[in-house]
Amino acid sequence: MPEAAPWEYSLYIPADPRAVTVCRRTLRLILTLHGLAHLVDTAELLASELMSNAVLHTKGPACLRLRHRDGVLQIGAWDADPEPPDPPRRLEELADAERGRGMGLVRACSDLWHWQPLSRMGHRGKLVWCELSVA
């Protein structure tokens, strides 16, 4: 079967907690329409954690980015805060923690995660992203 053509979607959102729900529902629709419904539950969890952090830790705009290329789905959250995220801890270390569970879930449920400085819309910021194998 031939490899699917690469694609990318970006959804810019305001710094509003309700926008995370918009991101989840949009992600679900995009993945279903591209024949990746088998990834929806995990991708939705990952996007929710990344976008919740983006909305929680910045006063400016945020963006959900979905990219599919070479059998890999990349889920990214851009926000206008240039500070790097706290490194994720192992889930076993988070049982009684009040913070840090989100990135721990991202680490545990994705194949790879990382962050990079990235400016958008005239704002210095960062992109925190993770990857899931499509296979």
Side-chain angles (χ1 to χ4, degrees):
M1 182 152 92
E3 181 67 34
W7 51 260
E8 181 176 329
Y9 291 85
S10 295
L11 175 62
Y12 288 88
I13 62 167
D16 180 340
R18 295 171 291 193
V20 176
T21 299
V22 172
C23 290
R24 278 196 314 266
R25 292 188 179 169
T26 302
L27 173 141
R28 181 173 284 275
L29 180 62
I30 291 168
L31 294 183
T32 300
L33 291 174
H34 280 282
L36 300 174
H38 64 286
L39 295 178
V40 165
D41 292 336
T42 302
E44 197 173 48
L45 170 68
L46 295 168
S48 294
E49 295 302 336
L50 293 174
M51 293 309 297
S52 293
N53 283 344
V55 169
L56 178 66
H57 296 295
T58 187
K59 301 275 189 262
C63 177
L64 171 67
R65 185 178 79 180
L66 302 173
R67 178 186 287 176
H68 176 262
R69 181 177 54 216
D70 300 327
V72 175
L73 175 67
Q74 186 181 78
I75 304 164
W78 175 83
D79 66 51
D81 179 359
E83 292 299 313
D86 291 335
R89 298 187 342 223
R90 296 172 53 102
L91 287 181
E92 302 82 46
E93 301 169 10
L94 295 169
D96 297 321
E98 292 183 26
R99 296 184 50 207
R101 286 190 182 104
M103 287 307 295
L105 284 170
V106 170
R107 177 183 177 190
C109 296
S110 65
D111 298 322
L112 175 70
W113 84 274
H114 208 333
W115 77 278
Q116 64 195 60
L118 183 66
S119 295
R120 292 221 170 161
M121 300 171 24
H123 297 276
R124 287 181 55 223
K126 68 177 171 301
L127 178 70
V128 180
W129 52 268
C130 62
E131 293 182 349
L132 291 174
S133 174
V134 171

